[in-house]
Amino acid sequence: TLYRCKILNNQAKEGNGGGVRKGYCERCLIAGNVCTNTNPNGGGAYEATLVDCIVTNNIAKNGGGTRSCVVVHCLVADNWALGGGGGTYDGTVSNSVIRGNFAGSSRTADEKTGNGGGACGGTLVHCVVSNNVCIYRGAGTCDASTYNCLIADNVQSGSLPKAGSVTCGGGAGVWNGGEHVNDLIVRNEANSEYAGPVGIYSATPVFVNCTITDNSSKGIYCYNVCGGRSAVLVNTVACGNAQLGDNPQKDAFKSVSNSVVTTTAEASRGFVDTLKGVDPRLGTVEGFAYTPLGSSKCRNRGIEFPWMRDAGEVRSKDVYGHDRIIGSAPDIGAVERKGYGLQVLVK
């Protein structure tokens, strides 16, 4: 057990964990550590429990900051993974900030490496994932499940073209599978061909009560949200993103229920009680951004699930910690309208 320790500038030439391997750390600074063996994992920490720690400026192939750790109330910032998980790789992360991390073998080259600038795999709960960068896939998260998270201002920077039938990049906010509930996915940027705020390949991600808006796609072929026909949307706002490439594409989902999508969106299994081409009317209410305004058709329109009224369930709260159901039914999107104070339209 380490308490109030500084774990600085260490190098693991064999095994995993540049700074810490296993054990428990509380209120520690884990910085400047490196894994340099054949398949290095966890530049800062590997298979450890970290509580109230700062994990920064560490380097490894997978998990620049941490790999397979339990991370609670930590700052994971400015770490570098040459392969996947600039900030974290696998493990469970809760009530933490994952910020300014990078995934990719080079900060300039367009290569098929660099998945999950913020997090690759694992489960994130009540986290802020922001300002992370990846070359390849999933600037915010890749193959992770996220609950009540803010995933914002991340950049997928590579501009790789499509190779055959495989999309070679994208997912500014989220890439591939996992469950995403009560997430606010905003202001992310994707640059790869066939890119969008959400990237999918051989997976079926599920989005429940998420808000995916104000993101941008700049690749040659770009989506408002995503293609691939495998994403499932429930109670989700998925519109209002900028398609800045030369050939904007239609969103293609597997199924969409009680959501707001673009006019041209398609769903292989159809739409259920979904609004197409409707302005969701989101704004700032009592300081909470992306809240449905009084005139929004998102209000009291979502499908109710049993866990929404279970006080012991993380998912029973919206992204800001409000009850998931305040009116007659849950609102569509990541934010439940709480009050009737000052309203500021964000679009």
Side-chain angles (χ1 to χ4, degrees):
T1 298
L2 300 176
Y3 183 73
R4 289 183 179 271
C5 293
K6 293 182 179 180
I7 304 159
L8 309 175
N9 305 318
N10 299 286
Q11 184 175 11
K13 295 183 179 180
E14 295 183 6
N16 300 307
V20 177
R21 180 183 171 91
K22 301 186 183 294
Y24 177 91
C25 299
E26 184 173 348
R27 297 192 182 185
C28 292
L29 173 62
I30 304 171
N33 303 287
V34 181
C35 266
T36 59
N37 58 70
T38 304
N39 190 29
N41 296 290
Y46 178 79
E47 292 187 348
T49 297
L50 311 179
V51 179
D52 291 316
C53 292
I54 296 175
V55 184
T56 185
N57 289 301
N58 302 284
I59 301 174
K61 180 178 180 180
N62 295 311
T66 70
R67 168 109 194 221
S68 302
C69 290
V70 175
V71 180
V72 182
H73 202 250
C74 292
L75 171 63
V76 182
D78 303 311
N79 301 283
W80 181 4
L82 282 72
T88 66
Y89 193 110
D90 289 342
T92 302
V93 186
S94 62
N95 299 288
S96 295
V97 175
I98 302 172
R99 184 185 68 210
N101 302 284
F102 177 81
S105 61
S106 168
R107 291 182 181 269
T108 56
D110 279 350
E111 298 178 354
K112 293 182 181 180
T113 61
N115 298 325
C120 188
T123 301
L124 280 60
V125 181
H126 286 305
C127 289
V128 174
V129 184
S130 69
N131 300 100
N132 301 285
V133 177
C134 79
I135 293 293
Y136 196 27
R137 294 169 169 171
T141 71
C142 176
D143 293 316
S145 290
T146 55
Y147 303 90
N148 302 70
C149 290
L150 170 62
I151 302 173
D153 303 303
N154 302 286
V155 177
Q156 182 271 321
S157 63
S159 55
L160 288 161
K162 185 177 181 182
S165 61
V166 180
T167 302
C168 287
V174 173
W175 171 265
N176 236 11
E179 184 178 52
H180 308 276
V181 182
N182 298 327
D183 289 338
L184 188 55
I185 303 171
V186 296
R187 303 190 306 274
N188 301 288
E189 177 184 314
N191 290 285
S192 177
E193 185 175 344
Y194 282 82
V198 175
I200 302 170
Y201 175 63
S202 68
T204 303
V206 177
F207 296 86
V208 180
N209 279 104
C210 291
T211 296
I212 309 171
T213 193
D214 282 350
N215 302 285
S216 64
S217 304
K218 297 182 178 179
I220 295 175
Y221 302 99
C222 53
Y223 290 92
N224 187 278
V225 178
C226 69
R229 297 188 179 278
S230 59
V232 174
L233 303 186
V234 181
N235 298 354
T236 288
V237 174
C239 60
N241 301 289
Q243 295 173 272
L244 304 177
D246 294 335
N247 298 288
Q249 304 293 297
K250 296 179 181 179
D251 286 338
F253 305 106
K254 185 174 185 179
S255 65
V256 181
S257 302
N258 298 70
S259 296
V260 181
V261 297
T262 60
T263 303
T264 59
E266 300 175 348
S268 58
R269 294 189 179 178
F271 297 92
V272 176
D273 198 15
T274 289
L275 301 172
K276 298 183 70 174
V278 172
D279 183 349
R281 298 285 295 173
L282 306 179
T284 299
V285 178
E286 297 183 354
F288 299 104
Y290 298 99
T291 297
L293 299 178
S295 58
S296 173
K297 293 186 178 180
C298 294
R299 296 182 60 197
N300 303 317
R301 197 183 182 98
I303 298 172
E304 180 176 334
F305 295 95
W307 46 261
M308 290 180 170
R309 296 186 185 274
D310 182 352
E313 253 274 9
V314 168
R315 297 174 296 174
S316 68
K317 305 294 182 180
D318 75 0
V319 71
Y320 292 127
H322 305 144
D323 288 343
R324 186 62 271 186
I325 299 177
I326 292 177
S328 58
D331 293 343
I332 294 174
V335 185
E336 191 78 7
R337 181 176 166 82
K338 178 176 180 290
Y340 301 89
L342 178 66
Q343 302 181 20
V344 180
L345 183 65
V346 295
K347 334 189 154 189

